[in-house]
C-alpha cells in the first residue's frame, strides 16, 4: 500500500450531504495517479451555525487524510471477499454506513447478514472468483435460480439478496462502482403466512392452565392480551408498570448482543394492564429477589440482575403452553413461526393502546367507576382497566 501522491489537484473536497433530517459535511479524497476521486467519508460535522462549522469539518478531513491509503480500485476486488469484509462488526464500511444512517446498525442484523453470506452465497461456485466490477444482473438472477434449487426458503434467499446488495449499493452510492447490478433484479416472490391469532375458545383454554414457570405463564398471557413484542416483554421493568393507573409503559426492547434499546420503529407506547394479569405479576414478584424499579420483570435465573429471560426459554415455554391448551402440533408450527417476536393475541379483540404523547388524555378516557373494557371471553374472564385501581402498585 502506498499513500496518495498529490501534485496539481486538491487532496480532498468538502461538500454537504443531507441524511434524513440532518445535513452533514462529507469529504472525498483524490488519487492523482488515476486522476479520480476514490474514497468518500463522513466527517460527522453538521452544517449549521453562522459559519456552518466548516473549519471544524476541515480539521476532521485533515485527520482522515492521514489515514487514507490507496489500495487500488475496490471494484476490482473479489466480490465474496468484499461482502464478507463489509459485514465484519468493525469494518470501515459499516462505520461509514452507520454515519450515513445517523445511528448504529443492529449487532444481530450484522451477524445475520454475515451468516447469510456464508450459508447462502459463498457456496455458489460462480461467485467465488468473480470481481465486483464483473457482477451483472444476469449473474445475480442465476444465483437466485441456484438458491431455489438448493431448497432455500424465499425469506432466506431475500435476506441473502439484501446482504449482498447493501455493500454493492454502498460502493455505487460512493462513486466507486459505475453501475448498480442489483437495480434490475427483483427479490423472490414471498407470500408470508398469516400470523397466528388465538380464538376466544383457545384463550379460555390458555387461561385455564398454569405453566410450572410463573415467568412464562405471566409473560405469554400478557403477550396474548396486549400484543407486546418479545423484545418489549424481555425489556419490561418493574418501574414500567403502573398498577394503580392500570397502565404499562412499553419503552424498552431488549435484544441479545445489544441489551435494552428503543422500541422498534419508534413504537414506545402505553398499553392497558389487564386485571387478570395483576395476580400473576404479584406471583412473579414473590418468587424474584430482584424487585427494584430498574430490575427486569421477567428475569433470567442465571443472571437476574442484568439479564431478562432468554429467547429459548420463552420459545419452549410458549410451545409448552399451547400444547397444554390442546392446540395441535400442526397449529403450533404455524403459530411458532412468529413465536416470541409478536406472540399471538386475542382475535379481533385488542385492548386499547395509548400513545405516549397523549397519555394524560388517555387517562381521562379510562372508564369511570363501575365500567370496564369488558371482553368477556368464554370462562368468565373480565379484563378490567378501571376497577381495582386502588390496590396499590407493584
Amino acid at each position: 500500500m502506498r499513500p496518495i501522491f498529490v501534485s496539481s489537484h486538491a487532496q480532498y473536497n468538502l461538500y454537504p450531504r443531507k441524511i434524513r433530517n440532518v445535513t452533514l459535511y462529507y469529504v472525498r479524497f483524490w488519487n492523482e495517479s488515476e486522476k479520480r476521486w476514490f474514497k468518500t467519508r463522513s466527517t460527522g460535522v453538521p452544517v449549521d451555525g453562522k459559519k456552518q462549522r466548516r473549519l471544524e469539518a476541515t480539521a476532521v478531513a485533515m485527520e482522515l487524510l492521514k489515514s487514507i491509503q490507496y489500495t487500488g480500485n475496490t471494484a476490482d476486488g473479489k466480490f465474496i471477499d468484499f461482502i464478507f469484509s463489509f459485514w465484519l462488526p468493525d469494518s470501515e464500511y459499516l462505520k461509514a454506513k452507520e454515519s450515513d444512517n445517523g445511528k448504529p446498525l443492529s449487532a444481530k442484523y450484522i451477524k445475520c447478514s454475515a451468516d447469510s453470506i456464508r450459508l447462502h452465497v459463498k457456496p455458489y461456485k460462480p461467485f467465488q472468483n468473480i470481481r465486483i466490477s464483473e457482477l451483472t444482473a444476469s449473474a445475480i438472477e442465476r444465483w437466485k435460480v441456484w438458491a431455489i434449487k438448493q431448497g432455500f426458503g424465499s425469506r432466506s434467499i431475500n435476506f441473502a439478496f439484501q446482504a449482498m446488495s447493501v455493500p454493492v449499493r454502498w460502493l455505487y452510492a460512493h462513486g466507486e462502482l459505475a453501475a448498480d447490478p442489483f437495480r434490475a433484479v427483483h427479490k423472490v416472490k414471498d407470500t408470508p403466512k398469516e400470523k397466528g391469532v388465538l380464538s376466544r375458545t383457545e384463550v379460555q383454554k390458555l387461561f385455564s392452565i398454569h405453566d410450572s414457570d410463573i415467568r412464562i405463564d405471566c409473560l405469554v398471557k400478557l403477550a396474548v392480551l396486549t400484543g407486546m413484542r418479545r423484545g418489549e416483554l424481555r425489556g419490561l421493568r418493574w418501574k414500567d408498570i403502573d398498577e394503580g393507573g392500570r397502565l404499562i409503559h412499553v419503552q424498552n426492547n431488549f435484544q441479545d448482543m445489544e441489551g435494552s434499546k428503543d422500541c422498534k420503529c419508534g413504537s414506545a407506547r402505553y398499553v392497558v394492564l389487564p386485571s387478570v394479569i395483576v395476580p400473576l405479576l404479584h406471583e412473579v414478584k414473590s418468587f424474584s429477589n430482584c424487585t427494584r424499579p430498574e430490575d427486569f420483570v421477567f428475569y433470567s435465573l442465571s443472571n437476574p440482575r442484568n439479564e431478562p429471560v432468554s429467547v429459548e426459554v420463552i420459545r419452549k415455554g410458549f410451545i409448552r403452553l399451547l400444547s397444554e391448551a390442546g392446540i395441535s402440533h400442526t397449529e403450533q408450527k404455524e403459530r411458532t413461526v412468529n413465536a416470541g417476536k409478536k406472540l399471538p393475541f386475542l382475535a379481533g379483540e385488542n385492548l386499547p393502546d395509548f400513545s405516549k404523547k397523549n397519555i394524560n388524555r388517555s387517562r381521562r378516557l379510562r372508564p369511570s367507576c363501575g365500567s370496564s373494557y369488558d371482553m368477556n371471553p368464554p370462562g368468565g374472564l373480565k379484563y378490567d382497566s378501571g376497577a381495582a385501581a386502588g390496590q396499590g402498585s407493584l
Side-chain angles (χ1 to χ4, degrees), residues 229-248:
R229 298 181 179 92
R230 179 183 65 194
E232 294 168 350
L233 291 159
R234 295 181 74 205
L236 188 65
R237 300 174 189 267
W238 291 111
K239 64 183 179 182
D240 299 325
I241 299 174
D242 177 5
E243 185 181 352
R246 279 293 178 269
L247 292 171
I248 298 174

Side-chain angles (χ1 to χ4, degrees), residues 38-106:
F38 80 104
K39 283 187 184 291
T40 302
R41 296 288 182 269
S42 168
T43 66
V45 178
V47 180
D48 62 17
K50 191 172 182 180
K51 295 187 178 180
Q52 300 186 325
R53 299 176 67 175
R54 189 175 181 85
L55 288 177
E56 187 179 340
T58 299
V60 174
M62 292 296 290
E63 285 299 315
L64 288 172
L65 181 63
K66 295 175 185 177
S67 62
I68 290 293
Q69 291 182 314
Y70 181 66
T71 57
N73 190 347
T74 306
D76 290 335
K78 288 189 176 181
F79 173 60
I80 291 292
D81 292 345
F82 170 66
I83 56 179
F84 258 122
S85 65
F86 186 96
W87 292 113
L88 291 174
D90 294 323
S91 76
E92 62 173 308
Y93 305 108
L94 281 184
K95 289 178 181 177
K97 185 163 181 59
E98 288 173 354
S99 179
D100 289 349
N101 292 343
K103 63 179 181 179
L105 295 172
S106 160

Side-chain angles (χ1 to χ4, degrees), residues 9-300:
H9 201 284
Q11 293 174 289
Y12 64 88
N13 171 248
L14 281 172
Y15 64 96
R17 181 175 176 183
K18 189 170 184 179
I19 306 296
R20 296 183 182 175
N21 296 324
V22 180
T23 301
L24 300 175
Y25 277 111
Y26 272 68
V27 56
R28 57 182 179 175
F29 299 93
W30 179 258
N31 177 260
E32 179 66 20
S33 62
E34 294 198 359
K35 305 293 183 185
R36 67 181 182 91
W37 300 106
F38 80 104
K39 283 187 184 291
T40 302
R41 296 288 182 269
S42 168
T43 66
V45 178
V47 180
D48 62 17
K50 191 172 182 180
K51 295 187 178 180
Q52 300 186 325
R53 299 176 67 175
R54 189 175 181 85
L55 288 177
E56 187 179 340
T58 299
V60 174
M62 292 296 290
E63 285 299 315
L64 288 172
L65 181 63
K66 295 175 185 177
S67 62
I68 290 293
Q69 291 182 314
Y70 181 66
T71 57
N73 190 347
T74 306
D76 290 335
K78 288 189 176 181
F79 173 60
I80 291 292
D81 292 345
F82 170 66
I83 56 179
F84 258 122
S85 65
F86 186 96
W87 292 113
L88 291 174
D90 294 323
S91 76
E92 62 173 308
Y93 305 108
L94 281 184
K95 289 178 181 177
K97 185 163 181 59
E98 288 173 354
S99 179
D100 289 349
N101 292 343
K103 63 179 181 179
L105 295 172
S106 160
K108 186 174 182 180
Y109 169 65
I110 294 170
K111 182 181 183 301
C112 288
S113 297
D115 289 344
S116 184
I117 295 297
R118 176 174 55 83
L119 295 172
H120 304 126
V121 180
K122 188 178 180 181
Y124 182 56
K125 289 184 178 179
F127 275 175
Q128 289 175 3
N129 293 310
I130 195 171
R131 298 188 181 280
I132 303 169
S133 57
E134 298 169 342
L135 189 65
T136 62
S138 59
I140 300 166
E141 290 286 5
R142 288 192 291 272
W143 166 81
K144 280 170 52 181
V145 172
W146 170 85
I148 292 170
K149 287 182 178 179
Q150 296 301 305
F152 300 147
S154 57
R155 293 183 68 186
S156 296
I157 295 172
N158 288 338
F159 193 83
F161 179 93
Q162 178 175 294
M164 291 189 290
S165 65
V166 167
V168 172
R169 284 172 170 163
W170 186 88
L171 281 182
Y172 174 68
H174 287 77
E176 298 187 36
L177 195 62
D180 172 16
F182 285 89
R183 184 176 181 180
V185 184
H186 299 289
K187 291 184 177 181
V188 175
K189 186 176 180 181
D190 179 32
T191 306
K193 295 177 181 177
E194 184 178 347
K195 305 302 183 186
V197 177
L198 299 181
S199 68
R200 296 170 75 88
T201 300
E202 289 169 336
V203 170
Q204 176 192 1
K205 290 179 181 177
L206 189 67
F207 275 83
S208 69
I209 60 176
H210 301 283
D211 193 76
S212 57
D213 188 335
I214 182 57
R215 299 170 303 162
I216 298 303
D217 195 51
C218 182
L219 182 149
V220 170
K221 291 172 181 176
L222 179 59
V224 166
L225 296 182
T226 64
M228 289 173 65
R229 298 181 179 92
R230 179 183 65 194
E232 294 168 350
L233 291 159
R234 295 181 74 205
L236 188 65
R237 300 174 189 267
W238 291 111
K239 64 183 179 182
D240 299 325
I241 299 174
D242 177 5
E243 185 181 352
R246 279 293 178 269
L247 292 171
I248 298 174
H249 189 187
V250 183
Q251 59 178 331
N252 293 304
N253 171 25
F254 191 95
Q255 297 295 326
D256 293 336
M257 301 187 293
E258 296 176 77
S260 288
K261 52 191 284 190
D262 291 340
C263 292
K264 188 176 180 181
C265 302
S267 59
R269 63 199 182 280
Y270 287 86
V271 297
V272 170
L273 169 62
S275 295
V276 72
I277 296 297
V278 174
L280 298 178
L281 287 170
H282 287 163
E283 195 171 351
V284 170
K285 198 167 192 179
S286 70
F287 278 94
S288 175
N289 292 321
C290 302
T291 57
R292 299 173 303 178
E294 64 272 18
D295 287 333
F296 292 110
V297 174
F298 304 113
Y299 53 91
S300 162

Side-chain angles (χ1 to χ4, degrees), residues 200 346 349 372-383:
R200 296 170 75 88
L346 185 61
E349 302 271 12
S372 64
Y373 295 112
D374 186 357
M375 292 161 37
N376 289 329
L381 290 175
K382 185 174 182 179
Y383 311 121

